[in-house]
């Protein structure tokens, strides 16, 4: 069956190719449709196959796009997409991973220099061909040269936000297979790492071969990489999926083992040995009466194996949430009864960094607030871009516009239940200044300050700069602190503990930007900052209603940083948040 993730990928590809062709407006419409298709709760292909006309009701899917989705589900291709691909036979995904190279540039590079892939691009940059293009110059060329290598290696990992929906599709499919009694994702995706090497899936079955056969027969499988009686590796789109099938009695042990991380497993295995136990992917065994522990995989008395909780229990430990299994002290904390009481999605009461069409968002203030209300949020903040360094000229708001927008936000909020904050996303300049006038700061309820320029500073300068921003009494939230874009640019390197100390002292929250391209801050930095007493804000940075759903990635990223509800300002009741913002 064609998944929503696959349909969304085709629409994104359409958008890229149209953009490369210099077509205006349409690419945005395709991207918007792609995002809504991806977020759609039921498989759109099912609806199409059932002859249900309702796909035009999917937000952003009009007649034209609906026709293309139908064509794809029914025939496996879209004629117009094939034509566009033939006109521009380039490795779009690889090329646009290079920072500073978007689809439009890819189109020009192909038409003017015949560049089709990263190798061509690197060669052209080294030969000085790119600086000759109108509007490019030596600096752009040097940037491209530097970023090609990063794009090449980084490109091998998938974003969590792309791989996880696909993993959910795999699970939904396997759950429908009669031979499979239980299934779960394991590996880095179960630990919610920001990027994923491959998707590990585990199934319990007494008929392993039937379970493997079922996966190989799945419509979404593009390639079979390898297969055997109890395991298979397949390619679905750009993602590698590894399936392992085990007997039900060993499912929990296998799930524990294949969830990793390796560091966590090694420490847990040693913890077991110290207690006269043997732990492996087949179970937990009491080997206290046995001399030769290496005598076999299943020696001793099986104490646990069917459930994962049983494995931890056999070692005298509570279950450790997968997000914590990175060997950062979680086993000692579990043994001491000091595991954090992690934040869950339902704890999040609002979103404090979102955009509208006043800057580069797609929707009006009212549309975004409607969407926040529909999610049941208690409060919500609009924080459009202020003009400043790193913001495209003309896109960010001037001081006068900020004041005007704040009035408009309050008018929209007037007769609503939800509390709406008038905010701004200011820019942290290279020295840590935020460039807002006193009058603007007075007017606003909330200031998010984020770095958008000078993202290649050294670590000391970057730490100083970010510390200065959080020390600024006007700043409530430091937005996407590193400015990283996964697979594209590293962003600022800095000392998260030093930043956390300053943030705690000055009552500024550090953002976990939940956009799947960012996840900034990330787990280890969140943990370091919280240990210093800092608070965090989980924000989607949404530019359209569907993106409010990114909160899912933000919550799991914060959990990787051991965050409890008390650490997260947008999990606080409104009254407490108000005190924080006013302080
Ligand atoms: P990835 O795929 O690179 O994002 O990261 P993982 O963690 O999913 O790694 P992967 O797919 O190579 O292996 C899945 C899990 O299997 C891993 O998290 C822990 C377990 N595992 C794999 N190889 C070993 C090993 O040599 N020793 C131990 N203790 N565990 C292993
Ligand atoms: Ca994996
Ligand atoms: Ca794997
Ligand atoms: Zn930003």
């Amino acid at each position: 069956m064609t998944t929503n993730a696959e349909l969304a990928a085709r629409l994104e590809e359409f958008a890229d190719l149209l953009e490369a062709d210099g077509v205006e407006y349409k690419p945005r419409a395709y991207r918007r449709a792609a995002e809504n298709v991806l977020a759609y709760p039921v498989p759109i292909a099912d609806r199409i196959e059932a002859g249900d006309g309702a796909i035009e009701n999917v937000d952003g899917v009009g007649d034209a796009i609906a026709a293309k989705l139908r064509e794809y589900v029914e025939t496996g291709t879209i004629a117009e997409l094939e034509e566009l691909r033939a006109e521009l036979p380039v490795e779009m995904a690889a090329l646009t991973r290079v920072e500073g190279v978007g689809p439009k540039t890819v189109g020009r590079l192909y038409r003017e220099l015949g560049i089709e892939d990263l190798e061509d691009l690197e060669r052209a940059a080294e030969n000085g061909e790119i600086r000759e293009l109108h509007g490019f110059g030596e600096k752009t060329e040097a940037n491209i040269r530097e970023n090609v290598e990063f794009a090449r290696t980084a490109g091998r990992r998938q974003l969590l936000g792309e791989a996880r929906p696909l993993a959910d599709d795999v699970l939904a499919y396997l759950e429908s297979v009669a031979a499979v009694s239980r299934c779960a994702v394991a590996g880095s995706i179960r630990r919610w790492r920001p990027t994923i090497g491959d998707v590990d899936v585990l199934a319990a079955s007494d008929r392993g071969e039937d379970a493997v056969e079922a996966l190989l027969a799945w419509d979404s499988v593009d390639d079979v990489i390898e297969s055997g009686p109890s395991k298979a590796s397949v390619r679905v789109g750009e993602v590698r999926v590894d399936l392992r099938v085990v007997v039900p009695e060993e499912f929990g042990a296998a799930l524990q083992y294949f969830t990793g991380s390796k560091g966590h497993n090694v420490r847990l295995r040693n913890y077991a040995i110290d207690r006269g136990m043997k732990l492996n992917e087949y179970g937990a065994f009491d080997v206290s009466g046995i001399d030769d522990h290496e005598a076999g995989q299943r020696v001793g008395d099986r104490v646990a194996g069917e459930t994962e909780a049983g494995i931890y229990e056999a070692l005298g430990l509570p279950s450790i949430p997968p997000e914590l299994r990175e060997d950062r002290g979680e086993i000692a904390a579990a043994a001491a009864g000091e595991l954090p009481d992690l934040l869950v999605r339902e704890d999040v009461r609002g979103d404090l960094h979102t955009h509208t069409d006043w800057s580069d968002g797609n929707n009006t203030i009212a549309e975004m607030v409607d969407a926040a209300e529909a999610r049941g949020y208690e409060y919500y903040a609009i924080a459009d871009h202020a003009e400043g360094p790193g913001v495209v000229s003309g896109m960010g708001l001037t001081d006068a516009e900020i004041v005007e927008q704040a009035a408009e936000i309050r008018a929209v909020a007037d007769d609503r239940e939800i509390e709406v904050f008038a905010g701004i996303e200011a820019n942290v300049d290279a020295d840590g200044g935020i460039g807002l006038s006193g009058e603007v700061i007075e007017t606003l309820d909330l200031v998010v300050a984020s770095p958008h320029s000078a993202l290649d500073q050294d670590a000391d300068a970057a730490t100083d700069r970010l510390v200065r921003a959080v020390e600024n009494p006007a700043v409530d939230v430091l937005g996407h602190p590193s400015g990283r874009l996964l697979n594209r640019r590293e962003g600022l390197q800095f000392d998260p503990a030093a930043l956390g100390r300053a943030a705690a002292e000055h009552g500024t929250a550090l953002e976990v930007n939940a956009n799947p391209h960012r996840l900034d801050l990330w787990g280890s930095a969140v943990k370091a900052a919280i240990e210093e007493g800092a608070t965090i804000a989980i924000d989607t940075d949404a530019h359209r209603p569907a993106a409010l759903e990114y909160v899912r990635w933000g919550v799991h990223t914060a959990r990787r940083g051991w965050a409890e509800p008390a650490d997260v300002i947008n999990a606080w009741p409104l009254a407490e948040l108000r005190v924080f913002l006013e302080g």
Side-chain angles (χ1 to χ4, degrees), residues 192 512 519 521-523 526 552-561:
W192 300 83
V512 171
L519 298 178
L521 295 176
W522 48 92
V526 168
R552 182 184 190 198
W553 319 125
V555 165
H556 288 284
T557 300
R559 286 167 62 92
R560 286 176 58 79

Side-chain angles (χ1 to χ4, degrees), residues 358-359 384-387 394-402 405 424:
W358 280 66
S359 65
D384 269 315
H385 287 282
E387 61 179 2
M395 185 266 275
L397 306 184
T398 63
D399 280 7
E401 287 165 340
I402 295 170
Q405 192 202 21
I424 197 72

Side-chain angles (χ1 to χ4, degrees), residues 157 186-191 193 195-200 242 244 254 256-266 269 326:
R157 298 183 67 83
S188 54
I189 203 159
R190 183 159 180 247
R191 306 195 311 278
R193 275 193 64 179
T195 63
I196 304 297
D198 63 10
V199 171
D200 299 286
D242 279 356
R244 287 182 192 77
Q256 195 291 317
Y257 179 87
F258 287 110
T259 295
S261 65
K262 216 182 243 185
H264 174 85
N265 285 355
V266 168
R269 202 154 48 228
E326 298 291 351

Side-chain angles (χ1 to χ4, degrees), residues 165-320:
L166 191 142
D168 291 340
D169 289 342
V170 177
L171 283 187
Y173 172 72
L174 288 176
E175 269 160 14
S176 74
V177 171
V180 172
S181 60
R182 292 180 65 193
C183 60
V185 288
S188 54
I189 203 159
R190 183 159 180 247
R191 306 195 311 278
W192 300 83
R193 275 193 64 179
T195 63
I196 304 297
D198 63 10
V199 171
D200 299 286
V201 180
L202 207 64
S205 176
D206 291 315
R207 293 180 279 142
E209 293 190 22
D210 293 355
V212 170
E213 274 308 307
L215 178 70
L216 302 186
W218 189 32
D219 282 358
S220 294
V221 168
D222 291 308
D223 268 332
V224 176
I225 301 163
E226 56 195 350
S227 81
S230 63
K231 59 186 188 178
S233 295
V234 299
R235 196 175 57 74
V236 181
E238 285 182 38
V239 181
R240 176 188 168 117
V241 177
D242 279 356
L243 171 71
R244 287 182 192 77
V245 189
V246 300
V247 293
E249 307 86 84
E250 297 181 345
F251 181 78
L255 181 58
Q256 195 291 317
Y257 179 87
F258 287 110
T259 295
S261 65
K262 216 182 243 185
H264 174 85
N265 285 355
V266 168
R267 197 170 293 274
L268 195 66
R269 202 154 48 228
N270 288 331
Y271 188 88
I273 290 169
D274 290 345
R275 280 152 189 80
M277 306 271 288
K278 181 184 174 89
L279 180 63
N280 58 31
E281 61 184 285
Y282 309 106
F285 303 89
D286 185 338
V287 289
S288 50
I290 292 173
D291 294 335
D292 184 5
H293 291 188
E294 304 303 323
Q297 294 289 11
R298 294 174 174 93
V299 304
D301 298 326
R302 170 189 296 278
V303 213
E306 190 169 353
T307 69
E308 189 186 63
I311 296 287
Y312 285 99
E313 201 188 320
L315 301 176
L317 297 172
S319 284
I320 300 178

